[in-house]
Each structure stands twice: as C-alpha cells, then as structure tokens.
Amino acid sequence: MADVTAGDAFADKIPKRTNPIVKFIVAQPLGFVGFLIVLLYFVLAVGAQWIAPYHPEEVDFGAMLTGPSPEHLFGTDQYGRDVFSRLVYGARTALAVGMLSAIVGCTLGAILGATSGYFGGIIDNVIQRLVDIMLSFPIIVLAMVVVAVLGRNMIAGIDANLIVAIALPMVPKMARIARSSTLSIAQMPFIDAARAAGYSHARIVLRHILPNIVAPYLIMLTAFIAQAILLEASLSFLGLGVTEPTAAWGLMLSGSSADFYQAAPWMILFPGLAITLAVFAFNLLGDSLRDWLDPKMKV
Amino acid sequence: MLGYIVRRLLMVIPTLIGVAVAVFFLIRVMPGDPVVVKLRADGAAVTEETIQAERKRLGLDKPLMVQFTDYMIGLTRLDLGKSLWTGESVANEIAIRFPVTLQVAIMATLIAVLIAVPLGTLCAVYRDTWIDNLIRVLAVSGLAIPGFWLGMLIILALLYFFNWLPKIGYVSIFEDPVANLSALFWPALSVGYRYAAVVTRMMRSALLEVMREDYIRTARAKGVYESLVTRRHGLRNALLPVVTVVGLEFAFLIGGLVVTEQVFNLNGIGKLFVDATARGDFTLIQGLVLLIATVFVVVNLLVDLLYAALDPRIRLT
Amino acid sequence: MKKLTLLSATALVALGGGLAEAQTPKKGGTLNFAVVAEPPTIDCHAVTTFAFAHPGLPHYSKLLKWKGDYKNLKIVPDAAESFEQAPDGMTYTFKLRQNVKFHDGAPMTSEDVKASYDRIINPPEGVVSARRSLYADIKSVETPDAHTVVFRMKQPNASMLTHFASPWNCIYRAAKLKEDPQFPAKTILGTGAYEFVEYVKGSHWTAKRFDGYFLPDRPYLDGYKAFFVKSNAVVTGMIGGQFDGEFRGRTPTERDQLVAGMKENATVVDGPWVTNLMFTFNTQKKPFDDVRVRQALTLAIDRWGGAPALSKISMLRDVSGLLRPGYEYALAGAELEALPGFSKDIAKSRERAKQLLKEAGVPNLKVKLVNRNVAEPYTPGGIFLIDQWRRIGVEVEHTQLETKLFFDAMKEGNFDVLVEFISDFADDPSAQFDKFLTKEKSSQAASGHNDKKLDELFDKQAREIDPVKRKALVNEFERHALTQVYSAPLLWWQRIIVHHKKIKGWEHQANHFTATDLVDVWLDQ
C-alpha cells in the first residue's frame, strides 16, 4: 500500500503569480526529483528498442551468468540474456501494467464513490458495505483471488485479467475518497441549482461532480501507479503475474533466479533497485502533488 | 460500553456472512478442476472414470446449492469443512500454520513500533530540518522497497557476512526460544521496515496536527518546557491515529505475509494460501479468506475499544 | 568475468560408488531426508506423487521390486519368493515368502495380496484406484494356497511384469480392508522394513525399524525422518546439516551450491530420468493440422546445441525421441538423427523449416504457447523454445498457467502448442506412448489427431511378448510419431541427486518413485 498521509503546507512560502511549474519546483523540490525520475522511466519505456543494446528475450548460451562488463552493463542471467536490456524493457511492462491498472482502479473507484455520495440512502449503504468488505483484505490476497478466479486472458500481449487483479484492490480506497469529496460538493448551491434546472442525475454526476474530484483523482492515481508497480512485481515474483520471457522486474527476481544468489548477485540487485526507485519516485511525486493541490486531503 | 461491544459484535456477523457467501460463489466459478490437479499433476495416467470417483468421494458431484447449504450449515457449527487436497479438516490445516504467521506479525509490529515512534517524534519536533527530511526520505523508500526483495537481500547478506542461514522448520518459541527467534527475526524485519515507514509517517503527521491544537498552545503559553509539552500532551493524543494504523497493518499482515513466507520458506498462512489457490482447494481457500476477514474485523473492534481507553473525550455508548 | 563453474560430478560418483562396494554395511542411525512436496493422501493405490513415495513406501512391501541402478536394472521378488510368467503370457504365478509379517504381527498370506489387487482392479465405492486401467487385462486373481497367487489374463500384455513391479501396489491387510475399504487412507499398516511413528503435516514424517521384517539383518537403519520443505530450502537445509539428502532431484545450480557448501561431504549421483519435456500441437487448429508447419517448428530447434548449455542451468539434459536415451528400445544414433528436428546440422534444418513455413503459406507464423507455471524445467524449456522459434521468424505468445488452469486449457484445447511432460516409474513403451495416441484411445492425449496407425501400432506392441518383435514395432511407432510430429520431445531430464557421503546403498534408478523402500540403505558413521 502506498499510504499517503497528511503533510505540511508549504503554501505560505509560494511566491504569487509565477508559472505553476516553477511554483511546484520551489515548493516541492523532492516532488520535482520524483517527477524527473518518473520522466526518466518514461523515456526508457518509450525508447526501449533504441536504448537497450540487446533484444530482451535473446538467449545466448555463450554468455551465461557473466558479470557486469562493457558488453553487458548489468551482466547477464542464466540464459545469457542481457540484464540491462531486460531492465529497460521491464520499464515498459511496469509502466504499462501500472498505469493501466491504476487508471482502471481509480476511475471505477471514483465513479462508485461519486454515485454513492450523490445518491446516498440505500445505494450508499450497499456500496459502503461492499467497500468495507474489500478493505478488510490485504491487497495481495484480493489480487490472488482475482487471478485464481479469472485465470488468464491475453489481449495484445498484456494479460487483461492481471490488470483487473491489480486494479480491483484500489477501487475501495478511491471510492471512499471520491465519496467524501462528493458529499462536500453535493451540498454546494450550484448542485442544487443544477437539480432545480431539471438536469438528469447522470449529467450532474458527470458534468458537475466528477470535475470537482479531479484533484484527489490525480493524487490517488500517482500513488496507485506506485502501488500497482509494487503489486505487479509481487505477483510476478509469485509466478502469478507477467510470464516469461517478457521482461518484467518482479519476474527477474522470481523462480530459479533465487538459485543464483551467490553466483550472480547482479541478477538480484538491479531489478530490485529498478522497482524501488520507480515506486519511490511515484510516491514522492504523489505526496508532493497532494501537499500542493490539496493539503487537507486525508487518506 | 458493554452495550456498544455487543452491538459492534452483532454488526460483524452480517459482514462475515457476506464474505462467506461471496467467496463461496466466486471460488466455484474458478476455472480448472482440483481433482485433476491432485491426480494428474505428477504425470500419472489417470482415467476420467477415476477422476469422477474421486470427485464423488469429495462431494463435488453434488448440485451447487446443496454444497452451499452444507457449507453454510457447517459454518454455524464453526465447521469449515475438509480440505479437498488432504482430506483433513480445514480448521486443523490452518491451526498448524497459524502460530508462525501470528508470531511474525507480532514481531514485525514490535519492530515497527520501536522504530517508528521515536523517529516519527523526531520528525515532528525537528520539523523541516535535515533530520526530518532524512527520516522522511527513509520512510518513503521504506514504502518503495518490495518486501520480498528486502528479504532476498537479507538472506544474501546473512550468507555473505556470516555464511549462516536460519534453520528450516518451525520450532515453537516455548521449546527453543533462540532457534525460534533467530529464524523468525529476519522475515519480521523484512516486513517490519515497510510497516515502520507507514507508522513513522502517521506518527509525524499526527503529532504535527496535535501540536497545532489549542491546549498545546495553552501549555506552551503557560511556559511548560517544550520537551514536556511533546511528551505529556502531544504524544498521548497523537498515539490515537497511530494505534489505528498499527492495528490495521497488523491485521493485514495475517493474510499479507504471502510473499515473505515464500522468500523465507515459512510454513504459515500465506504459504498455505498460495498452495490452496494453486491446487484449487475450494474449501481451504474459503476457510482462509474467512479467517483473514475475521481477524481484520476483530482487530478493528479492539482498536476502537483502545481508542476509548486512550482518549477520555470518546464515550462509547 | 565470472563464468558458471561446473563441478566434475562424474568423478564424485565414481568415488561414492567405489567406496560403497568396498565396505561392509553398518547398522544403526537415523536417515534424515527432505521431501519437497506433501502427499494429498497416504493410500498407495490412490496416490500419484513422490511426496508419498519417499516417506510412505518404506512401510510397505509389494510382490516385486526394482533392483540396481539405471545402467543395471532388473525386476526382483520382494514379498514374493519367486515368480513365473507363462510362455503365452496368459498367467503369472507368484510364490510368497513364508515369513512376511504385518507391523501388527499378523502373517501376510495370499489373501492379503488378492484383496489388495482386487482393490486396485475393482475399487469399491469411495476408493480411488489411480492406475486401475493398467490392470484391465487381468481376468482374475486366484489363491490356490496361502502362499501362492495366480493372475489369469484376458489377453497378453507385454508390460505386465513392469506393472507387477509398480512401487504403488502396496499389499494391505485383507481383514482391515474388509472392515473398511478406506482403512489405508487413514492408517499405515504394511509389511515393509519400517514401522510408522508419526506424520506432522507441513513438518515431518518419522518411522522406526520393524524388527519383524522378513529379510534377516535388514533394514540397517534404526529409522528415518522425512522433512517436508519447500524446494528452495533444500540447499540451506543440507548445508546446515538438518538433513542429508533429497531424492527427487536437484537442479545443476543447486548441485553446485551443495558441493560448494558441503565440500568433501557431498556425494553427487547424476543420471538420466524417465521424464521428458515435450510440446504438443493442437491439430484441430489451423495451421497446425498441416504436417509441414509442425515439422518446421520441430526442425527449428537446436536440440544438440542447446542441451549442453541447458544442462548447466536446468533439469534438461538429453536429446532423445519418445523413449529415454539409453533404453534398449529407444531410437538412437543415425536412426534418430534422420528424423525431423534431430539432425546435428542446425543451419540446414532451419533453412528447411523456413521453406516449409513458406510452402504452407504461413511465413510469419504466430503461435500461442501454453506452458505450466512450474519453475523447473518448464520455464527454461519455454524460454528456449521461444528463442529457437524466433530465429525462424515465428512469434510466440507465452502463457504460463498454474497446474489447474493448465489441465483445463489442455482439456478444452485452448492452445496452439502445449508444453507437457511424460513421467513414469520405468521405461515402458506402453506408458511413454500413451500421450501420442488419438483422443479416443487415450485419456491423456491432447493433440486431437486422428492417426489410427499409431493406435494400431500401439496395440500390437502392447500385446507382443517377444522382445525382438516388440522392439521392431516400438521403433516403427517412434519413427511414425516423430515424422508426423503431433507431439515432439524437446529434451529429456537429468536426475541429479546430492546426498551426504555417509549415506550408502542408495540406488539411482532414473525415476523418483522406485528404489524408495530404504531396505538396503545404511549410514557410514
């Protein structure tokens, strides 16, 4: 879980009427560092085929388990595959799975929460009980149950069911936040006005409520991407996530690679660092976004 | 107070029934056949007829609603059924593994609290100094390091520096405390780090919030020493949200040690859960999910009660 | 640059073997060993996993058993004193030993053998007999006297002796079975060399020497303790001295770690395994109904080039066809190399493969490969296959499924190519050919082809009790199957056993089910 807790308000230190990006850098230097790292991962993911010196799945029995060297920057694994190239392509897998599932989870949660808060009554009660039940399970357990129940379903090289498994545990959290934001918005005069004007519920929710929960949505989305990357790595480590020979960080640590602990520590070291740094960067960015956009937000 | 406890307990029941029903039907739509896994996974040439016979023996040939009724009736007598894989009672299968998981969770909680309370306090006291920033960066990285990777690094370090690894197999702490603690300390540490990070952040923000409140300002205005203010007034009230986080995290650890138990080879609930889902052992999965939900609900209740005990402003009626 | 270091395993084997012969066995001691899975049941007739064979089978004797190592293997009497096969293969007569006793003191008679075999052949309601179909040719089990058992056949079966030597055919007490057919699933009561002490789930299984065992001076050990651990705990457990062996098989990397950690205390026994990794085409799907496509995909694989490298990092080691390399009925040498995918000239084979794909109209083939989600050796096998196919321009979508989902996909035909395996307790064409038959004939076949020639050849060799004639039929089956490529072997496994050098008298029989009775194992300490 990437917990985001209340932090400090730098608001008073921000000079007025400057470029918002400059403001962000000044107010949230750590967040900006996070942003730069995230940017770096995006560059790696998008430019993988130009940056990686080898095909990530290329087996080379002539170069099994060689240590870091100019030819293989981070060494090779037991199949002679280039660890650096696999890390670079791994960024693609991590970001694709992480972002897709965070978007799915966050959006579902936002809709559920907004509906719950807007309508209240029985609908609210039912949704809140559901949310309670889901919140009472560790995310890894929920994800494993989803993987077990749905099996696998490859669409365009990505396991759609894996996305669902990672997205689902995020739904209840987002739903809670969206609900409380909705409750405060729903009391505002302009909602009453919209109701009085006879707009449909769908229109009010879509046009008036949802735009007003964009800030918490973005904050949670960033935090969820971090959580999703971590969860994907854990599932892949357990053999329930991404499958070989796809380059994925968690997978690089799983299965028999643990046998090479001593013979080839670089196989363990680099993928773990890649995960840590990515999650760290997204968390930092998420925290700072929250402090900046909505210092009162509680999770 | 008693009335409140009774009411809370009564509210728990529908939640657990909801979980029980949901998990039963969810799991039955799971693809794959546990009986096939059981008989064919090792390559034996088992005929379809034999598989049907085993299915019948396990009661899997009965109509779904009959199975469901049996299961719900069993639950009223606290009977979780028998594992499809071993034929042993689910309660028994869980009871064998529970102590390991429980102990790691307790140890991780102790480690987390011992680290987090002082660090979180330091952060709040030295707010926005380098101490605060350093600890915060450490905490954010604690949230970022995958627990299983930290576990692997710990194993690697133990091997590298001491050429030693904890013995395999669980020894009860009452039987051989040294062997027990030396085996379970490392997994507890690997989850404890992340846990400590969560609690540190909560501790810091809770303290900061409390410090802004009127009575602290009053105390300061009265000329009470700053350290005394922090200790006597700040800490106690800040502990409330911290207790909540500690409680919830503890509850999550009971089911959430899945990956750590794999890394350190512990025969706990998490490993059982991985095995059960891989084998499609319906009854065992149901039992485990119910257990995890129950632990969560009970811990939640305890946290609420503790809240009442710690904060004189809360009256539970 | 650090390269993978490999130890000369053969030198150590020679050392271990040589010492054992020179010494007289010592009595006493407890054998501690690891078992890397847990049995779902303790009933021999129902169980199919080594997880029971290792801790459980030493409690039981059978009619016959296997003796010697894989190079020098024969069937010998166990609880029987002698056995005889009629020349026409229609009757088998077993004379039982006079002094066989159950652990509760009761003597074993022909009634117990009959009751046990009846339970296997015609299991009563509620009893699972996992290998029932293998005994379908038996017409009746007769007991002319207390120490003679006669099996009468419906028709000859060339594999029958192998099946009588099955490690799973434990002899149970007839009186107990009569009271409760489920008795063996609840209680261990056999005539083997060890008595049952306790089984703690998830932890261990212990046994002690049975003083009333029928062989004089056996067993040597006072008892044994099996530890149930996860596979990745074996290395640390053995180096730490918690247990002294694991008898399923370790990976080459684990062998190297063990030898590095145990130093001179390690004995390594390397050998083949009657287990292979193979891939099966879904011939119900286009274009895999086209023999050219199937041939192209097997031609692309550099088996001879990949095997030496894979043998250093995985359990895959040997190149062979449908039967274990070294088995007398297996195709080998030039005969094997003439078949598609087994030539040593990989460049030429790949050219031919590309050409075949072009002819079949699928130069840019995409394949959905379904594999098991088991690290060893399915993952390395899959990675190797995908890499080899990429080299002829075939794109692969790899799905690794948990065992349960895997069998589901297999049954539903939800795959283009399926990675599967053959595993058995003995070299036996009837057992190893089963997966290559039509679906009508075999419950295990996944390819869905309709080639009746294979079924016919299978039946003929199964009934042919003349070894020379049978070999010819077996070879013809293998050639036909490897040319049509409904399924093709990738590589055969190696079975690497590492144990403490003090363990003596343990035999490597190229499978992990037999040679588990621990009667002749002793500790040199």
Side-chain angles (χ1 to χ4, degrees):
Chain A
M1 273 178 301
D3 293 59
V4 189
T5 48
D8 357 338
F10 276 90
D12 49 340
K13 293 179 192 163
I14 302 169
K16 293 199 166 58
R17 267 188 241 170
T18 30
N19 184 321
I21 296 173
V22 177
K23 272 202 252 177
F24 181 77
I25 298 172
V26 173
Q28 304 288 341
L30 276 179
F32 186 63
V33 171
F35 172 74
L36 287 182
I37 302 174
V38 166
L39 197 67
L40 173 77
Y41 275 105
F42 270 98
V43 171
L44 290 181
V46 174
Q49 58 261 60
W50 298 287
I51 297 165
Y54 297 88
H55 190 286
E57 297 167 18
E58 188 179 305
V59 171
D60 179 3
F61 287 134
M64 289 153 73
L65 296 173
T66 55
S69 70
E71 300 97 77
H72 297 286
L73 219 48
F74 291 169
T76 61
D77 68 5
Q78 70 267 45
Y79 304 100
R81 299 181 296 190
D82 185 54
V83 171
F84 178 69
S85 303
R86 289 183 68 71
L87 281 185
V88 172
Y89 275 91
R92 193 177 270 188
T93 312
L95 289 184
V97 174
M99 285 174 45
L100 266 175
S101 41
I103 290 171
V104 170
C106 240
T107 309
L108 264 177
I111 294 173
L112 213 58
T115 313
S116 180
Y118 177 77
F119 288 106
I122 289 187
I123 296 179
D124 185 32
N125 250 318
V126 169
I127 292 179
Q128 286 315 303
R129 287 292 80 72
L130 258 173
V131 163
D132 279 349
I133 289 181
M134 281 168 75
L135 278 174
S136 63
F137 291 97
I139 52 175
I140 185 99
V141 169
L142 268 187
M144 281 173 66
V145 170
V146 175
V147 169
V149 169
L150 295 184
R152 296 192 184 265
N153 179 18
M154 303 294 282
I155 299 171
I158 287 183
D159 184 354
N161 290 345
L162 179 63
I163 304 283
V164 176
I166 297 174
L168 196 73
M170 302 173 180
V171 171
K173 264 194 184 175
M174 184 66 215
R176 279 242 162 125
I177 290 159
R179 177 175 177 269
S180 63
S181 304
T182 308
L183 282 180
S184 59
I185 296 163
Q187 290 157 358
M188 301 225 175
F190 71 92
I191 300 289
D192 282 341
R195 273 210 191 105
Y199 289 148
S200 71
H201 290 312
R203 186 185 158 116
I204 296 173
V205 170
L206 287 175
R207 297 287 291 274
H208 300 286
I209 307 249
L210 283 181
N212 278 294
I213 55 175
V214 163
Y217 181 86
L218 282 181
I219 293 163
M220 290 311 286
L221 188 70
T222 324
F224 279 167
I225 294 175
Q227 181 184 316
I229 290 176
L230 208 52
L231 189 53
E232 180 263 304
S234 304
L235 286 174
S236 298
F237 174 77
L238 288 175
L240 300 171
V242 181
T243 39
E244 287 274 10
T246 308
W249 301 328
L251 198 58
M252 293 172 78
L253 295 168
S254 85
S256 60
S257 47
D259 292 345
F260 301 97
Y261 266 142
Q262 284 163 301
W266 55 87
M267 277 174 62
I268 308 293
L269 212 58
F270 295 116
L273 278 175
I275 302 171
T276 307
L277 196 62
V279 177
F280 179 75
F282 273 107
N283 272 342
L284 222 49
L285 184 61
D287 274 18
S288 311
L289 272 182
R290 187 212 43 231
D291 286 356
W292 199 52
L293 291 172
D294 193 355
K296 289 241 146 53
M297 183 172 140
K298 281 264 184 71
V299 180
Chain B
M1 186 81 178
L2 194 70
Y4 173 78
I5 297 177
V6 171
R7 252 188 305 122
R8 278 294 307 265
L9 278 175
L10 286 178
M11 266 168 67
V12 161
I13 292 168
T15 311
L16 290 181
I17 291 177
V19 171
V21 174
V23 77
F24 180 90
F25 288 104
L26 258 182
I27 282 172
R28 299 299 149 139
V29 300
M30 216 154 93
D33 184 340
V35 178
V36 171
V37 180
K38 187 169 167 178
L39 292 173
R40 283 198 180 147
D42 271 37
V46 175
T47 59
E48 202 52 44
E49 187 194 3
T50 308
I51 285 170
Q52 290 306 337
E54 174 71 357
R55 203 170 279 139
K56 193 166 178 196
R57 193 177 72 84
L58 294 169
L60 292 175
D61 59 333
K62 291 189 207 163
L64 191 62
M65 284 323 286
V66 175
Q67 289 185 44
F68 177 67
T69 322
D70 289 352
Y71 160 70
M72 291 309 275
I73 291 172
L75 282 185
T76 59
R77 288 171 309 181
L78 292 178
D79 174 8
L80 295 169
K82 283 181 175 165
S83 156
L84 297 185
W85 187 259
T86 62
E88 191 96 359
S89 88
V90 166
N92 205 8
E93 292 284 351
I94 293 176
I96 294 169
R97 277 90 174 180
F98 194 63
V100 184
T101 305
L102 185 65
Q103 199 191 332
V104 174
I106 290 173
M107 284 170 72
T109 306
L110 286 177
I111 291 172
V113 170
L114 286 178
I115 295 175
V117 171
L119 287 191
T121 313
L122 272 181
C123 273
V125 172
Y126 296 99
R127 184 187 161 188
D128 289 337
T129 63
W130 65 270
I131 298 180
D132 181 27
N133 280 328
L134 177 74
I135 294 174
R136 284 170 72 199
V137 168
L138 278 178
V140 181
S141 69
L143 297 179
I145 293 184
F148 64 91
W149 184 59
L150 187 61
M152 290 167 103
L153 290 184
I154 289 175
I155 290 177
L156 198 60
L158 288 177
L159 272 174
Y160 187 80
F161 293 111
F162 305 108
N163 198 19
W164 175 88
L165 276 185
K167 279 206 165 188
I168 296 148
Y170 175 70
V171 208
S172 155
I173 189 161
F174 305 109
E175 229 172 85
D176 184 351
V178 178
N180 170 287
L181 291 175
S182 69
L184 297 189
F185 175 73
W186 308 107
L189 182 67
S190 83
V191 285
Y193 182 42
R194 199 200 71 86
Y195 191 166
V198 175
V199 180
T200 305
R201 285 155 58 96
M202 182 48 92
M203 185 79 204
R204 175 181 183 276
S205 65
L207 258 180
L208 284 179
E209 201 152 302
V210 170
M211 301 289 238
R212 273 185 228 124
E213 296 216 4
D214 293 342
Y215 60 96
I216 300 278
R217 255 185 257 156
T218 313
R220 274 199 194 121
K222 283 196 307 193
V224 180
Y225 286 118
E226 191 64 32
S227 64
L228 197 65
V229 174
T230 313
R231 250 185 296 143
R232 186 162 297 167
H233 300 272
L235 265 181
R236 194 177 153 156
N237 290 304
L239 276 180
L240 293 176
V242 174
V243 164
T244 313
V245 165
V246 169
L248 292 187
E249 288 286 316
F250 173 80
F252 281 141
L253 279 188
I254 296 298
L257 285 175
V258 173
V259 190
T260 310
E261 287 179 1
Q262 292 290 317
V263 174
F264 286 92
N265 240 301
L266 300 177
N267 187 29
I269 297 293
K271 178 175 178 276
L272 191 63
F273 190 67
V274 173
D275 290 348
T277 49
R279 292 166 180 163
D281 193 338
F282 298 155
T283 40
L284 194 49
I285 299 175
Q286 285 161 9
L288 283 167
V289 167
L290 269 180
L291 170 82
I292 291 166
T294 310
V295 168
F296 181 85
V297 165
V298 168
V299 169
N300 239 332
L301 181 63
L302 290 178
V303 166
D304 281 359
L305 296 181
L306 206 62
Y307 237 95
L310 278 174
D311 190 339
R313 286 172 303 183
I314 298 176
R315 282 269 160 269
L316 302 175
T317 44
Chain C
M1 258 202 265
K2 193 175 170 187
K3 288 252 177 189
L4 183 68
T5 45
L6 275 179
L7 291 131
S8 159
T10 32
L12 287 159
V13 178
L15 193 70
L19 282 174
E21 275 164 42
Q23 285 173 310
T24 18
K26 290 178 190 160
K27 288 204 143 209
T30 299
L31 175 70
N32 295 316
F33 62 94
V35 180
V36 297
E38 269 200 72
T41 164
I42 57 167
D43 177 355
C44 304
H45 299 172
V47 83
T48 59
T49 163
F50 73 96
F52 176 76
H54 294 189
L57 289 183
H59 299 302
Y60 293 98
S61 20
K62 299 108 218 173
L63 282 177
L64 306 176
K65 68 175 183 179
W66 300 81
K67 194 74 198 134
D69 72 2
Y70 64 90
K71 279 173 274 183
N72 192 12
L73 194 60
K74 55 180 187 291
I75 293 176
V76 299
D78 188 15
E81 196 171 55
S82 65
F83 62 98
E84 198 184 294
Q85 176 186 351
D88 62 356
M90 292 300 281
T91 42
Y92 293 83
T93 310
F94 296 85
K95 288 270 176 217
L96 305 181
R97 292 176 199 266
Q98 301 284 336
N99 60 342
V100 183
K101 282 202 293 265
F102 282 97
H103 298 152
D104 64 357
M108 188 195 90
T109 67
S110 54
E111 281 310 315
D112 299 311
V113 177
K114 178 174 162 56
S116 303
Y117 269 88
D118 281 344
R119 188 173 185 270
I120 294 170
I121 301 163
N122 283 312
E125 179 85 22
V127 169
V128 173
S129 168
R131 289 155 291 269
R132 182 182 182 187
S133 60
L134 302 176
Y135 301 88
D137 287 338
I138 295 174
K139 191 165 73 184
S140 63
V141 188
E142 291 163 17
T143 52
D145 64 56
H147 293 97
T148 309
V149 186
V150 179
F151 291 84
R152 297 207 185 280
M153 306 290 293
K154 294 176 195 158
Q155 54 188 338
N157 183 329
S159 305
M160 214 53 227
L161 261 190
T162 300
H163 295 318
F164 283 127
S166 164
W168 306 115
N169 295 355
C170 298
I171 299 170
Y172 295 142
R173 233 191 110 182
K176 298 285 182 189
L177 290 182
K178 207 166 176 186
E179 282 167 25
D180 177 8
Q182 288 285 9
F183 177 79
K186 298 168 191 156
T187 317
I188 299 259
L189 175 63
T191 54
Y194 298 91
E195 272 182 82
F196 175 74
V197 177
E198 67 164 349
Y199 169 31
V200 179
K201 283 230 165 83
S203 175
H204 63 270
W205 180 306
T206 45
K208 63 169 197 250
R209 181 178 203 279
F210 173 44
D211 292 323
Y213 187 57
F214 55 79
L215 290 179
D217 306 323
R218 293 287 197 288
Y220 297 119
L221 300 171
D222 289 336
Y224 62 86
K225 182 170 182 181
F227 292 84
F228 296 101
V229 296
K230 264 195 61 190
S231 190
N232 63 11
V234 170
V235 170
T236 45
M238 272 177 76
I239 292 175
Q242 262 184 294
F243 35 81
D244 298 314
E246 188 283 319
F247 301 116
R248 179 180 181 271
R250 298 285 95 208
T251 64
T253 335
E254 288 175 305
R255 170 194 59 204
D256 298 345
Q257 288 173 346
L258 282 168
V259 172
M262 293 168 73
K263 310 238 159 45
E264 71 285 352
N265 281 333
T267 298
V268 178
V269 197
D270 263 334
W273 203 335
V274 190
T275 303
N276 76 1
L277 203 61
M278 59 183 218
F279 52 97
T280 293
F281 293 100
N282 187 348
T283 55
Q284 309 270 308
K285 269 194 186 174
K286 280 194 183 312
F288 307 99
D289 55 340
D290 187 334
V291 66
R292 289 173 298 186
V293 174
R294 300 196 300 264
Q295 284 193 349
L297 290 177
T298 192
L299 278 164
I301 300 163
D302 185 9
R303 292 182 173 82
W304 298 103
L310 281 168
S311 74
K312 290 178 201 161
I313 55 154
S314 77
M315 284 182 175
L316 301 171
R317 187 186 75 176
D318 296 322
V319 182
S320 190
L322 305 194
L323 296 167
R324 180 182 66 85
Y327 174 45
E328 53 185 328
Y329 286 5
L331 286 179
E335 275 189 306
L336 179 66
E337 284 167 39
L339 294 166
F342 291 89
S343 160
K344 287 190 173 164
D345 186 350
I346 185 62
K348 204 171 134 200
S349 294
R350 289 207 178 121
E351 274 317 302
R352 176 89 187 112
K354 282 186 206 163
Q355 194 192 332
L356 281 170
L357 286 182
K358 213 178 279 168
E359 282 171 22
V362 280
N364 301 312
L365 183 63
K366 282 200 175 91
V367 174
K368 189 180 166 201
L369 179 70
V370 172
N371 197 351
R372 267 176 88 172
N373 191 9
V374 176
E376 265 296 332
Y378 300 88
T379 303
I383 291 171
F384 177 62
L385 259 182
I386 293 164
D387 176 68
Q388 298 290 299
W389 286 344
R390 210 165 47 80
R391 288 166 197 244
I392 58 162
V394 173
E395 204 181 299
V396 185
E397 184 184 278
H398 191 208
T399 315
Q400 279 190 285
L401 298 176
E402 290 80 75
T403 310
K404 173 169 51 73
L405 299 176
F406 173 85
F407 281 108
D408 204 43
M410 182 170 175
K411 199 174 150 198
E412 303 293 323
N414 197 2
F415 62 91
D416 292 344
V417 185
L418 187 75
V419 176
E420 41 169 353
F421 72 115
I422 289 176
S423 176
D424 219 303
F425 69 83
D427 292 307
D428 174 42
S430 298
Q432 270 105 71
F433 287 171
D434 192 45
K435 286 197 173 177
F436 294 83
L437 303 177
T438 64
K439 273 193 176 169
E440 243 169 74
K441 178 96 182 146
S442 157
S443 61
Q444 300 209 87
S447 160
H449 70 77
N450 201 23
D451 192 338
K452 296 283 189 228
K453 187 176 172 194
L454 287 174
D455 290 2
E456 280 163 29
L457 280 169
F458 179 85
D459 280 339
K460 272 194 209 157
Q461 68 79 28
R463 308 276 161 248
E464 183 52 70
I465 46 179
D466 180 291
V468 180
K469 286 186 196 153
R470 190 182 188 202
K471 183 169 193 284
L473 290 165
V474 165
N475 287 350
E476 197 183 337
F477 184 101
E478 189 170 357
R479 250 190 304 267
H480 186 69
L482 288 178
T483 312
Q484 291 302 315
V485 218
Y486 307 113
S487 302
L490 181 62
L491 289 169
W492 285 73
W493 300 19
Q494 55 180 334
R495 183 168 179 234
I496 303 170
I497 302 295
V498 183
H499 60 70
H500 194 287
K501 69 166 186 213
K502 73 183 176 195
I503 300 176
K504 307 284 183 186
W506 184 84
E507 289 167 338
H508 189 307
Q509 294 190 342
N511 77 84
H512 50 308
F513 303 118
T514 63
T516 45
D517 65 10
L518 304 180
V519 169
D520 298 316
V521 172
W522 57 281
L523 294 175
D524 186 14
Q525 59 179 19

